[in-house]
């Protein structure tokens, strides 16, 4: 069966993360959605042992700003990973495409330039309902999945060191 939820694959491999420190950068645009993604990510990190003090949350205006916000976090703090959370909803103009392209490219670049994982927790949906369904609704919470991915990638990096 196709994988639909990153929280359900290989969860047995998630190590104790009590020594880990993560940054979360969250876009305020569509904040009813991104606020729920943030809640899910924080809850999941804590569930796996990350202390409140080791979760650094920073807000940026929109998804386009996630890349620079994430770079600031990586430059100014000593982190095991950065989770980027945003929500881009299709509108009447091509703005959606440009924002999605910009942030996808930006986060990819950060992954290659820094030796820590930057996780792509950005919803790109046709409408608000699809976004609500994926931020604590009937399709789960992609913030949880972003946190699980961060934990796994940080553990992989530690294993390789
Ligand atoms: C301008 C804009 C639009 C139209 N739509 C969204 C969106 O759906 N989701 C989102 O996170 N941000 C949106 N923005 C704001 C841009 O991300 C960015 O903040 C501005 O273009 C300023 O750089």
């Amino acid at each position: 069966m196709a994988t639909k939820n990153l929280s359900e694959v290989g969860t047995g491999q998630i190590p104790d993360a009590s020594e880990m420190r993560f940054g979360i950068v969250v876009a305020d645009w569509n904040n009813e959605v991104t606020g729920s993604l943030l809640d899910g990510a924080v809850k999941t990190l804590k569930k796996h042992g990350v202390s409140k003090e080791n979760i650094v949350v920073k807000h940026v205006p929109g998804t386009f700003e996630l890349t620079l916000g994430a770079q600031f976090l990586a430059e100014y703090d000593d982190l095991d990973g950065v989770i980027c959370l945003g929500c881009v909803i299709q509108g009447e103009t091509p703005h959606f495409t440009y924002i999605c392209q910009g942030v996808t490219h930006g986060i990819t670049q950060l992954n290659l330039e820094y030796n820590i994982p930057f996780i792509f927790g950005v919803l790109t949906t046709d409408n608000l309902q699809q976004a609500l369904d994926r931020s604590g609704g009937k399709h789960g919470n992609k913030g949880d999945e972003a946190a699980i991915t961060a934990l796994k990638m940080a553990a992989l990096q530690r294993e390789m060191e």
Side-chain angles (χ1 to χ4, degrees):
M1 211 203 321
T3 300
K4 292 229 170 116
N5 186 333
L6 286 166
S7 310
E8 287 165 6
V9 283
T11 40
Q13 300 157 15
I14 300 168
D16 174 68
S18 51
E19 300 300 316
M20 291 184 184
R21 181 171 172 81
F22 289 94
I24 302 178
V25 56
V26 55
D28 287 337
W29 196 289
N30 294 319
N31 69 330
E32 64 185 300
V33 174
T34 61
S36 299
L37 295 175
L38 176 62
D39 290 346
V42 169
K43 196 177 89 194
T44 299
L45 291 178
K46 285 185 179 167
K47 183 176 153 195
H48 289 278
V50 185
S51 67
K52 189 170 160 235
E53 295 68 36
N54 280 332
I55 302 173
V56 185
V57 178
K58 298 291 174 192
H59 290 256
V60 294
T63 293
F64 190 78
E65 283 72 43
L66 286 176
T67 305
L68 186 57
Q71 181 171 292
F72 288 159
L73 277 171
E75 284 284 325
Y76 303 134
D77 207 326
D78 185 17
L79 300 168
D80 289 280
V82 181
I83 299 167
C84 305
L85 301 174
C87 170
V88 196
I89 300 177
Q90 184 76 261
E92 291 177 2
T93 70
H95 220 99
F96 176 91
T97 306
Y98 295 117
I99 295 170
C100 292
Q101 280 176 354
V103 71
T104 306
H105 182 68
I107 293 176
T108 302
Q109 286 290 110
L110 293 175
N111 271 288
L112 300 178
E113 283 171 20
Y114 288 81
N115 205 30
I116 57 169
F118 291 80
I119 307 304
F120 187 81
V122 179
L123 295 177
T124 59
T125 64
D126 291 335
N127 53 53
L128 178 61
Q129 189 57 53
Q130 286 181 346
L132 293 171
D133 289 345
R134 289 158 179 78
S135 55
K138 68 180 180 189
H139 292 309
N141 189 328
K142 299 294 168 187
D144 294 347
E145 295 183 42
I148 291 287
T149 309
L151 289 162
K152 286 182 178 172
M153 290 304 292
L156 177 64
Q157 206 238 351
R158 286 185 173 214
E159 184 189 312
M160 306 288 288
E161 272 176 348

